[in-house]
Amino acid sequence: MRKTIATALAAMLLVTGCGAEVSDESGGATPPGYPVTVTNCGTPLTVRKPPARVVTNDIGITELMFALGLGDRMAGYVVDKGQSAGVASSPWKTEFGTVPHLAEKINREVVQGADADLVFAGWNYGFSEATGFTPDALAGLGIASYQLTEACRNGAGKQRGIMPPLDALYTDMRNLGKIFGVSDRAEKMIQEYRSQVASVAEAIPHGSPTPKVFLYDDGRDQPFTAAKNAGPDEIITKSGGENIFSDVDDSWTTVSWEAVIQRAPDVILINDYGGEVGSVADKENFLRSKPGVRDIPAVRKGRFFALPYAALVEGPRNASAVVAFGRYLAGLRG
């Protein structure tokens, strides 16, 4: 029964990519301005009507929906308990308390149980071949997918990222604006975010030094960090810094401690998950104790700055993250 309902709802969506078409079985009239088509990760997605039962995965993706005022279009969201601090600090905390929290891990049963007509997730943000939870698998259930642009595969194996991270954010906002009929709201927010980011760049004195920055997410044997296609890359560069792994054509990825030591960052930006385990203090203490790493300029000088996970992954907190980190780097310039 649930699959039947989900399929009927998904019939509002016309998915085109390989010539496939899902017919509209709902019998309802097509609203003015529809159907609309957007390009998502290189594939056209056409909707006949605004989706009505969206399931989102992860905090940044969910906040994108809330920021656009689309909570009433959601069947629910999936975030794990490790993101509870991010939810508590969210500008959309009220919406998180109103829209159903469906589960801590997304899977087919969760989205079918919610009668989802669209799943908004991304590769390594819910979608994974290892778990069998993929856009193709959902299509087989009659459920459409929208993929987070920051996490689009770029054609080199499983590497992710097809455009600069802030462009990915703006692309998703524009696409969602078209899909849900809120383009004016989306464009207004994009201009606000662009203005915030530009104000930071304009305040950087001409000719001032550009500190080298290492984003430390986690990892003891090998560090997990942000390459050029992940949100922190432009958060760092637009703030007046240089991401030491901006030459790596990937999104979030694993590197080596030897590479970190060799590139000698002046500042370490820490991804704060907000949990008791792996806290900012734990990460700082680890970096101060690790041979070689403790001797790099950032650690020797105690130049650590933390931003919450929800501000570093693609989402509506990115612009404010640029402002906060830009203020910190400005303080270092004296």
Side-chain angles (χ1 to χ4, degrees):
M1 178 61 179
R2 289 190 182 277
K3 181 176 179 180
T4 301
I5 297 172
T7 303
L9 286 166
M12 296 177 183
L13 302 172
L14 167 66
V15 185
T16 58
C18 302
E21 181 171 324
V22 180
S23 61
D24 186 356
E25 301 171 0
S26 64
T30 301
Y34 287 82
V36 297
T37 300
V38 300
T39 299
N40 180 218
C41 291
T43 301
L45 170 66
T46 302
V47 299
R48 293 188 180 278
K49 298 180 180 180
R53 295 194 60 78
V54 181
V55 171
T56 59
N57 184 73
D58 209 68
I59 188 169
I61 290 171
T62 305
E63 287 186 342
L64 265 176
M65 292 289 289
F66 291 156
L68 288 166
L70 299 173
D72 62 341
R73 292 288 177 174
M74 295 174 60
Y77 63 89
V78 176
V79 299
D80 62 38
K81 61 182 178 182
Q83 299 183 32
S84 58
V87 171
S89 68
S90 176
W92 300 276
K93 181 179 178 181
T94 299
E95 287 83 351
F96 274 109
T98 303
V99 175
H101 177 215
L102 301 174
E104 292 196 13
K105 298 295 180 183
I106 197 164
N107 55 45
R108 298 185 193 189
E109 290 74 20
V110 168
V111 299
Q112 284 184 287
D115 298 332
D117 57 0
L118 178 73
V119 172
F120 183 9
W123 293 107
N124 286 22
Y125 290 90
F127 292 138
S128 168
E129 287 94 350
T131 63
F133 190 80
T134 65
D136 285 345
L138 289 175
L141 299 173
I143 302 172
S145 300
Y146 185 88
Q147 300 178 46
L148 186 75
T149 297
E150 183 200 53
C152 293
R153 297 273 176 78
N154 61 24
K158 294 185 178 181
Q159 292 181 1
R160 297 173 294 157
I162 58 174
M163 64 182 71
L166 287 176
D167 286 349
L169 170 65
Y170 303 147
T171 294
D172 284 335
M173 293 179 70
R174 283 200 174 95
N175 282 350
L176 293 169
K178 291 177 182 177
I179 289 170
F180 291 96
V182 293
S183 289
D184 288 348
R185 184 183 303 164
E187 290 298 332
K188 181 180 179 181
M189 290 173 58
I190 289 169
Q191 292 308 312
E192 289 175 354
Y193 294 163
R194 286 188 184 279
S195 178
Q196 282 183 276
V197 172
S199 68
V200 177
E202 291 166 1
I204 300 172
H206 180 71
S208 62
T210 303
K212 295 184 293 183
V213 181
F214 166 51
L215 183 284
Y216 181 43
D217 179 281
D218 206 349
R220 300 302 167 100
D221 295 332
Q222 290 180 299
F224 196 63
T225 190
K228 77 172 186 177
N229 302 323
D233 183 77
E234 283 201 300
I235 290 171
I236 291 168
T237 58
K238 299 297 186 182
S239 298
E242 175 191 352
N243 177 13
I244 64 171
F245 289 107
S246 63
D247 60 329
V248 178
D249 188 16
D250 205 348
S251 182
W252 298 85
T253 190
T254 299
V255 293
S256 69
W257 286 116
E258 290 75 16
V260 175
I261 294 168
Q262 183 181 29
R263 299 181 187 209
D266 302 299
V267 176
I268 294 177
L269 176 59
I270 294 177
N271 189 350
D272 180 11
Y273 284 90
E276 295 180 3
V277 177
S279 67
V280 172
D282 289 339
K283 293 176 182 179
E284 288 185 13
N285 290 335
F286 167 72
L287 295 168
R288 288 190 175 101
S289 67
K290 187 170 180 61
V293 176
R294 63 191 176 201
D295 298 320
I296 61 178
V299 179
R300 283 191 291 104
K301 297 178 182 180
R303 290 178 172 174
F304 300 102
F305 188 80
L307 284 170
Y309 170 82
L312 292 169
V313 296
E314 185 196 315
R317 298 200 216 185
N318 290 164
S320 60
V322 173
V323 172
F325 193 49
R327 188 179 299 121
Y328 173 77
L329 294 183
L332 296 182
R333 289 193 294 269

